[in-house]
C-alpha cells in the first residue's frame, strides 16, 4: 500500500517546530549557564537589565504653565529594571530558566503531535493525550506565572520609591495574563474535537 505524502503545510509546520524546538534547547542551555555563573559570582555582566513579568501603569505629573497641571500616564506590559539587586536577579533568573524549560517541553510535545499528523496518524489516543498534556501544562504555567507576578509586585515593585514617577496599579487582576488560560482552553477543546473524530473514525471502520 502506497503511503500518502503529507500536505506541504504540515511539512512546513513540522520543520518550523523542529527549528524552534532546537533553538529553545540552545537558549535554555545558555540560560542555565548564565544562572550558574550568576550564582557562583563569576559573571558580573549578567542581568544589566531585568524584565519583570508585571504590568504597571506609571503616572508623571508636570506643568504646562503656572496655572495648568498635566498628567502623563504610561502603560507597560513588562517592567524593565536596570542593574537590579543581585538577590532579586538570582530569583528571577531561576524563574526565567524554569519558564524556558517549560516552553521547550511544550514545543517537544507539540513536535510529537505534528510528527504523528505528518505520518498520517491524526485521530488517535496518542494525539489526544498530547493535546490534553499541553493544555494542562499551560494551565500550570499560568498559575505559576500569576503567583510569581503577584509576588514581584507586592514584594518588589510596590516598594519602589521614584523621584518623579508614581506607579498607579499592578495588582492581582491587573497581572492575570489570561492569554495562557485561553490558549489552554482552546487546546483542551481541540482535544475533545479529536475525541469525537476518533469515535467517528472507529464507527466508519466498523461499517466497512
Amino acid at each position: 500500500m502506497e503511503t500518502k505524502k503529507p500536505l506541504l503545510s504540515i511539512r512546513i509546520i513540522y520543520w518550523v517546530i523542529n527549528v524552534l524546538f532546537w533553538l529553545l534547547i540552545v537558549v535554555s542551555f545558555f540560560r542555565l549557564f548564565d544562572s550558574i555563573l550568576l550564582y557562583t559570582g563569576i559573571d558580573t555582566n549578567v542581568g544589566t537589565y531585568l524584565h519583570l513579568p508585571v504590568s504597571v501603569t506609571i503616572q508623571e505629573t508636570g506643568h504646562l504653565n503656572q496655572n495648568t497641571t498635566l498628567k502623563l500616564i504610561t502603560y507597560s506590559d513588562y517592567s524593565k529594571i536596570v542593574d537590579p539587586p543581585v538577590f532579586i536577579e538570582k530569583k528571577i533568573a531561576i524563574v526565567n530558566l524554569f519558564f524556558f524549560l517549560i516552553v521547550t517541553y511544550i514545543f517537544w510535545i507539540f513536535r510529537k503531535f505534528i510528527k504523528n499528523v505528518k505520518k498520517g496518524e491524526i485521530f488517535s489516543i496518542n494525539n489526544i493525550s498530547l493535546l490534553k498534556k499541553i493544555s494542562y501544562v499551560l494551565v500550570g504555567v499560568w498559575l505559576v506565572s500569576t503567583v510569581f507576578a503577584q509576588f514581584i509586585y507586592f514584594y518588589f515593585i510596590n516598594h519602589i520609591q521614584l523621584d518623579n514617577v508614581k506607579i498607579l496599579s499592578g495588582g492581582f487582576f491587573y497581572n492575570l495574563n489570561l492569554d495562557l488560560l485561553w490558549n489552554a482552553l482552546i487546546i483542551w477543546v481541540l482535544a475533545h474535537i479529536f475525541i469525537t473524530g476518533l469515535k467517528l473514525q472507529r464507527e466508519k471502520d466498523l461499517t466497512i
Side-chain angles (χ1 to χ4, degrees):
M1 183 177 178
E2 186 179 353
T3 305
K4 188 177 179 181
K5 193 174 183 179
L7 295 173
L8 177 62
S9 57
I10 296 297
R11 283 181 284 158
I12 291 173
I13 293 172
Y14 174 73
W15 286 111
V16 168
I17 292 296
N18 268 290
V19 171
L20 291 176
F21 171 74
W22 288 111
L23 281 176
L24 282 169
I25 290 289
V26 173
V27 171
S28 297
F29 172 78
F30 279 107
R31 285 279 181 173
L32 176 61
F33 185 68
D34 285 344
S35 298
I36 292 172
L37 292 179
L38 179 63
Y39 269 83
T40 55
I42 297 174
D43 191 356
T44 58
N45 296 319
V46 176
T48 53
Y49 63 87
L50 190 64
H51 289 282
L52 301 177
V54 179
S55 302
V56 295
T57 301
I58 299 174
Q59 175 181 292
E60 169 69 37
T61 302
H63 300 280
L64 180 61
N65 51 49
Q66 291 182 350
N67 301 318
T68 306
T69 300
L70 298 177
K71 290 183 179 180
L72 175 65
I73 296 178
T74 302
Y75 169 80
S76 174
D77 283 329
Y78 293 95
S79 306
K80 181 186 288 187
I81 305 296
V82 179
D83 295 326
V86 176
F87 73 95
I88 292 290
E89 189 178 353
K90 286 181 177 180
K91 290 179 175 58
I92 295 183
I94 292 298
V95 173
N96 286 338
L97 174 62
F98 167 76
F99 280 116
F100 264 96
L101 292 175
I102 290 296
V103 171
T104 304
Y105 176 64
I106 291 173
F107 266 83
W108 177 70
I109 297 173
F110 190 65
R111 178 172 169 262
K112 291 175 65 177
F113 172 80
I114 293 296
K115 187 176 182 180
N116 290 340
V117 173
K118 183 173 175 285
K119 292 189 300 183
E121 180 187 339
I122 301 175
F123 299 113
S124 67
I125 295 295
N126 188 23
N127 280 350
I128 292 168
S129 176
L130 291 173
L131 289 174
K132 285 184 176 181
K133 191 176 293 185
I134 292 174
S135 67
Y136 298 152
V137 171
L138 286 176
V139 171
V141 171
W142 172 76
L143 287 172
V144 172
S145 63
T146 299
V147 172
F148 181 63
Q150 306 319 311
F151 172 81
I152 290 297
Y153 175 73
F154 287 108
Y155 290 95
F156 184 60
I157 297 292
N158 199 35
H159 296 285
I160 294 177
Q161 300 294 327
L162 301 173
D163 295 333
N164 300 312
V165 177
K166 178 182 179 182
I167 298 177
L168 297 178
S169 57
F172 181 77
F173 292 104
Y174 200 69
N175 294 304
L176 278 179
N177 190 15
L178 294 176
D179 290 343
L180 279 174
L181 201 57
W182 279 113
N183 289 334
L185 180 62
I186 290 171
I187 294 175
W188 186 79
V189 170
L190 184 61
H192 282 266
I193 292 174
F194 269 62
I195 291 174
T196 302
L198 178 61
K199 290 179 180 178
L200 292 174
Q201 180 176 295
R202 286 177 174 175
E203 290 175 1
K204 181 182 177 182
D205 292 340
L206 288 174
T207 56
I208 295 176

